[in-house]
């Protein structure tokens, strides 16, 4: 073997054993398990509750509400504990919760008939409540894991090198895009050719195996990156520990206090003032104070407007969720076509990560966000045009409140949603076709002109390039500008803001559920996207002006006013 070949093999081996690659592998395993579970649990709940979406809706509401309320508290817990402890605890809780849910669901599927007749059905109801509660705990642990790895560990592993951090963020997002498409398809095929019981068992087994491998990978990354053992958030605890040790020494030797007070005066007495034990009321109020302090700290961040801009992008129906795909189905698009469109959206999302790394090198991080925002909004203009094109069902004369009132006050039973799981999963791996509802009932009419829906999805798919590039920009801005001791709580509040705007978009759909009002929802969505990018524009205008002033001024005191580090290749 030549020297060049040995060098090449050595480089490959070094990369495969590096902390960066091990972090990618662990994230891929974690994301794959998450995507399988989030896809499957919705189908399991629909299947169990008589082909109704009630349990799925309750689960979604509980998950979103929990992250909204507990995001800051979770982030504060991440900040105040050692990195390895947080990562390992989150990993174990997350995977153990999914395993427990999988096993309980297997039992329910196997013995549902017997459980229905026991205790007048209350045992089955208790199982539903238990599954939703434990699944919510799994989601909260997943949120803590995401904050820990994607917002903290990745910064330390990148050694705070901005170029390396940008590449790692982009690679992590590419992994997210691929697993978001492939994982649901994989578990969908298992459920199609097997059964829901087999699907539950497979997911539980996968999480058990994945937990062991991820635990080992986390330990390897921690060993290869000594900086992970040092955490700014623990400095306060070290000071308190020293003060407690001083108090213990003084209790054992009270004469020492008199000597110190004579030599050093009143200062020594002030330093060793005994710590007060927190009262029961203080302990009860602590989570509320953490919640308040987290939101106040988020508001006071220099990147507040950028984070708010990103959150506003969640208030939209222009994504590949059940709402948009359901509307497309009513407009004549088949399940196979929708699966191809989802694949195209994943490809454009990956292109967005490539565009982010290239633009950041050429234009700087802040300008990358500006360019990405303009690109996304320009593509969404196609969606606005689609509202007024032939085939659009927009009819403002149809009041959405008439449909709501008729459902609330009608004596007829509410329609149930009965998805044909086998047909759905064979074609797309996603639940799209459901029967019994006005929106998703039977085969779509092929006579509807496809101009409007084609322009809609062209805009949505093209906008993914700018969307993911903008998302990565704001993510890295938060990573770079938030101090280490507050990374967890600030990212926790950011997640809460994202969930808040996401909940608002679902409420908007509930208020206007008919296809005739979807065009109005599109216009509202584009308006919120524009508002988000205007917020980012304000942030960029303020900070680019400071950078220009800092670069043009020869006075080092003037340059020290800039709160951010100078961007590489930005000016």
């Amino acid at each position: 073997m030549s020297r060049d070949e040995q060098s090449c093999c050595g480089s490959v081996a070094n990369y495969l054993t590096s902390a960066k690659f091990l972090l990618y592998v662990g994230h891929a395993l974690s994301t794959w398990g998450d995507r399988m579970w989030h896809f499957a649990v919705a189908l399991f709940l629909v299947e169990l509750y008589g082909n109704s979406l009630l349990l799925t809706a309750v689960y979604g509401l509980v998950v979103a509400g929990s992250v909204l309320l507990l995001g800051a508290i979770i982030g504060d817990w991440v900040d105040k504990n050692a990195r390895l402890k947080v990562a390992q605890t989150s990993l174990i809780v997350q995977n153990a919760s999914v395993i427990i849910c999988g096993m309980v669901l297997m039992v329910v599927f196997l013995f549902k008939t017997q459980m229905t007749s026991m205790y007048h059905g209350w045992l089955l109801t208790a199982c539903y409540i238990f599954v939703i509660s434990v699944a919510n705990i799994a989601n909260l642990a997943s949120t803590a894991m995401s904050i820990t790895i994607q917002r903290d560990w990745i910064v330390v592993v990148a050694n705070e090198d901005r170029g390396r951090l940008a590449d790692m963020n982009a690679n992590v997002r590419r992994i997210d895009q691929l697993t978001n498409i492939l994982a649901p398809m994989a578990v969908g095929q298992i459920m199609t050719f097997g059964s829901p019981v087999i699907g539950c068992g497979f997911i539980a087994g996968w999480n058990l195996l994945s937990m062991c491998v991820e635990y080992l990978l986390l330990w390897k990354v921690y060993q290869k990156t000594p900086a992970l053992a040092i955490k700014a958030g623990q400095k306060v605890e070290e000071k308190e520990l020293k003060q407690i040790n001083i108090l213990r020494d003084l209790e054992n030797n009270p004469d020492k206090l008199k000597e110190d007070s004579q030599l050093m005066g009143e200062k020594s007495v002030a330093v060793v003032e005994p710590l007060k034990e927190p009262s029961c009321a203080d302990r009860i109020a602590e989570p509320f104070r953490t919640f308040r302090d987290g939101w106040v700290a988020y508001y006071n961040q220099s990147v507040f407007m950028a984070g708010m801009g990103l959150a506003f992008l969640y208030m939209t129906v222009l994504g590949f969720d059940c709402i948009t795909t359901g509307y497309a189905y009513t407009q004549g698009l088949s399940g196979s076509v929708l699966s191809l469109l989802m694949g195209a959206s994943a490809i454009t999302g990956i292109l967005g990560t490539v565009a982010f790394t290239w633009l950041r090198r050429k234009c700087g991080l802040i300008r990358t966000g500006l360019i990405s925002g303009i690109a996304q909004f320009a593509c969404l203009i196609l969606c606005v045009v689609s509202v007024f094109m032939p085939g659009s069902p927009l009819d403002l004369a149809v009041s959405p409140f008439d449909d709501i009132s008729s459902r609330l006050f009608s004596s007829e039973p509410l329609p149930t949603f009965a998805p044909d799981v086998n047909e759905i999963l064979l074609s797309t791996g996603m639940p799209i076709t459901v029967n019994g509802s006005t929106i998703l009932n039977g085969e779509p009419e092929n006579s509807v002109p496809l101009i409007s829906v084609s322009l809609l999805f062209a805009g949505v798919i093209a906008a993914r390039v700018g969307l993911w590039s903008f998302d990565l920009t704001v993510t890295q801005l938060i990573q770079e500008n938030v101090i280490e001791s507050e990374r967890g709580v600030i990212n926790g509040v950011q997640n809460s803001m994202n969930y808040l705007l996401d909940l608002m978009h679902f409420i908007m759909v509930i208020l206007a559920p008919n296809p005739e009002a979807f065009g109005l929802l599109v216009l509202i969505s584009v308006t919120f996207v524009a508002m988000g990018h205007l917020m980012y524009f304000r942030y960029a205008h303020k900070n680019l002006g400071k950078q220009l002033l800092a670069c043009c001024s020869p006075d080092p005191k003037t340059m020290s006013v800039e709160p951010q580090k100078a961007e590489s290749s930005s000016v």
Side-chain angles (χ1 to χ4, degrees):
M1 184 180 291
S2 65
R3 184 175 299 177
D4 292 339
E5 291 177 344
Q6 290 179 348
S7 176
C8 181
C9 293
S11 300
V12 172
N14 290 335
Y15 178 76
L16 294 179
T17 56
S18 65
K20 179 169 68 173
F21 180 77
L22 295 177
L23 196 67
Y24 291 156
V25 176
H27 179 68
L29 290 173
S30 177
T31 308
W32 187 279
D34 275 349
R35 297 297 185 270
M36 284 198 307
W37 169 246
H38 287 309
F39 167 75
V41 69
L43 288 183
F44 292 152
L45 294 176
V46 169
E47 184 76 17
L48 284 173
Y49 201 68
N51 292 328
S52 169
L53 292 178
L54 178 61
L55 282 183
T56 306
V58 171
Y59 168 70
L61 183 63
V62 169
V63 165
S66 297
V67 177
L68 176 61
L69 295 175
L70 302 177
I73 298 173
I74 292 172
D76 184 68
W77 175 74
V78 171
D79 285 333
K80 290 184 177 178
N81 291 275
R83 287 190 173 98
L84 186 61
K85 175 186 175 182
V86 170
Q88 290 177 338
T89 303
S90 303
L91 175 68
I92 294 174
V93 172
Q94 176 191 359
N95 287 274
S97 299
V98 173
I99 293 170
I100 292 171
C101 283
M103 295 174 64
V104 172
L105 286 172
M106 287 179 67
V107 173
V108 173
F109 274 117
L110 290 172
F111 303 102
K112 182 182 177 181
T113 305
Q114 294 87 330
M115 295 174 71
T116 304
S117 58
M118 295 176 63
Y119 302 104
H120 303 286
W122 284 106
L123 180 60
L124 190 60
T125 303
C127 289
Y128 294 152
I129 296 173
F130 178 80
V131 168
I132 291 176
S133 302
V134 177
N136 183 49
I137 294 173
N139 185 74
L140 293 175
S142 177
T143 301
M145 190 71 175
S146 176
I147 294 173
T148 302
I149 301 300
Q150 298 184 43
R151 303 294 187 266
D152 186 28
W153 280 45
I154 194 172
V155 181
V156 180
V157 172
N159 198 22
E160 298 188 0
D161 181 281
R162 294 191 169 197
R164 190 180 182 189
L165 179 60
D167 292 336
M168 292 186 69
N169 282 329
N171 289 331
V172 165
R173 196 53 51 87
R174 288 166 194 150
I175 293 172
D176 290 341
Q177 289 290 312
L178 290 173
T179 54
N180 196 34
I181 297 297
L182 298 177
M185 292 180 65
V187 71
Q189 298 302 318
I190 293 172
M191 292 174 61
T192 299
F193 294 103
S195 65
V197 176
I198 296 176
C200 293
F202 176 79
I203 292 175
W206 173 274
N207 278 270
L208 179 61
L209 179 62
S210 177
M211 178 176 63
C212 299
V213 177
E214 288 179 61
Y215 194 94
L216 177 62
L217 290 172
L218 287 174
W219 175 247
K220 288 291 184 182
V221 172
Y222 188 81
Q223 284 185 319
K224 290 178 178 293
T225 314
L228 288 172
I230 304 170
K231 195 170 185 179
Q234 293 177 307
K235 291 180 181 177
V236 176
E237 295 179 4
E238 292 173 3
K239 291 180 181 179
E240 291 177 355
L241 220 78
K242 291 179 181 178
Q243 194 171 9
I244 292 172
N245 290 333
I246 293 173
L247 289 172
R248 287 176 179 173
D249 292 340
L250 291 175
E251 287 177 0
N252 297 331
N253 189 4
D255 296 334
K256 188 178 179 182
L257 178 60
K258 297 179 181 178
E259 295 175 2
D260 289 344
S261 61
Q262 292 173 356
L263 293 173
M264 300 181 65
E266 297 178 356
K267 291 184 179 179
S268 63
V269 180
V271 171
V272 295
E273 185 180 352
L275 295 172
K276 294 182 179 180
E277 285 289 332
S279 63
C280 182
D282 291 335
R283 291 175 180 174
I284 294 174
E286 184 178 359
F288 299 97
R289 285 196 300 267
T290 301
F291 178 84
R292 180 201 61 194
D293 294 343
W295 283 86
V296 171
Y298 177 76
Y299 175 77
N300 292 327
Q301 293 297 315
S302 62
V303 292
F304 168 71
M305 293 303 293
M308 285 292 292
L310 177 61
F312 265 58
L313 302 191
Y314 282 77
M315 176 67 175
T316 177
V317 296
L318 301 175
F320 279 89
D321 55 9
C322 56
I323 295 168
T324 310
T325 52
Y327 168 77
Y329 199 73
T330 66
Q331 298 305 298
L333 298 185
S334 64
S336 60
V337 172
L338 283 172
S339 66
L340 293 175
L341 293 176
M342 292 181 66
S345 72
I347 293 173
T348 54
I350 294 173
L351 291 177
T353 64
V354 176
F356 164 75
T357 55
W358 184 81
L359 285 172
R360 196 207 65 84
R361 285 195 297 267
K362 296 293 183 181
C363 308
L365 186 60
I366 294 179
R367 290 186 180 89
T368 297
L370 286 173
I371 297 170
S372 302
I374 293 171
Q376 183 192 6
F377 185 75
C379 294
L380 292 181
I381 296 298
L382 291 175
C383 301
V384 176
V385 174
S386 72
V387 174
F388 306 99
M389 296 301 290
S392 173
L394 178 65
D395 186 0
L396 298 181
V398 178
S399 174
F401 299 102
D402 293 339
D403 182 72
I404 295 174
S405 60
S406 64
R407 288 177 180 271
L408 287 175
F409 301 107
S410 175
S411 59
E412 298 180 1
L414 292 174
T416 58
F417 296 79
D420 186 351
V421 178
N422 291 332
E423 178 184 349
I424 295 165
L425 298 177
L426 278 171
S427 59
T428 64
M430 297 292 290
I432 296 170
T433 307
V434 293
N435 301 320
S437 73
T438 304
I439 297 177
L440 303 175
N441 185 22
E443 294 295 327
E445 295 288 340
N446 294 324
S447 60
V448 177
L450 297 179
I451 298 176
S452 175
V453 73
S454 298
L455 283 175
L456 175 70
F457 276 92
V460 170
I461 292 173
R464 310 295 278 187
V465 178
L467 170 64
W468 289 115
S469 180
F470 181 80
D471 180 273
L472 285 168
T473 299
V474 177
T475 297
Q476 185 154 342
L477 283 171
I478 295 174
Q479 290 171 333
E480 292 179 1
N481 292 281
V482 175
I483 60 176
E484 182 181 341
S485 59
E486 293 183 350
R487 279 179 194 158
V489 67
I490 298 303
N491 282 285
V493 175
Q494 181 65 50
N495 283 344
S496 297
M497 281 298 306
N498 297 344
Y499 270 95
L500 174 61
L501 272 296
D502 193 43
L503 272 176
M504 289 177 61
H505 116 264
F506 279 110
I507 293 173
M508 179 176 66
V509 175
I510 292 172
L511 294 177
N514 44 19
E516 290 81 5
F518 190 82
L520 183 61
L521 302 186
V522 170
L523 298 179
I524 295 174
S525 299
V526 175
T527 302
F528 269 85
V529 171
M531 290 170 61
H533 289 309
L534 284 175
M535 291 179 182
Y536 182 83
F537 178 80
R538 181 182 176 185
Y539 164 81
H541 180 266
K542 178 181 178 181
N543 286 273
L544 286 175
K546 287 184 178 180
Q547 284 187 4
L548 184 62
L549 179 64
C551 290
C552 294
S553 175
D555 188 0
K557 292 183 179 180
T558 306
M559 297 181 68
S560 65
V561 174
E562 168 58 40
Q564 300 183 22
K565 300 177 182 177
E567 286 189 286
S568 58
S569 307
S570 63
V571 180

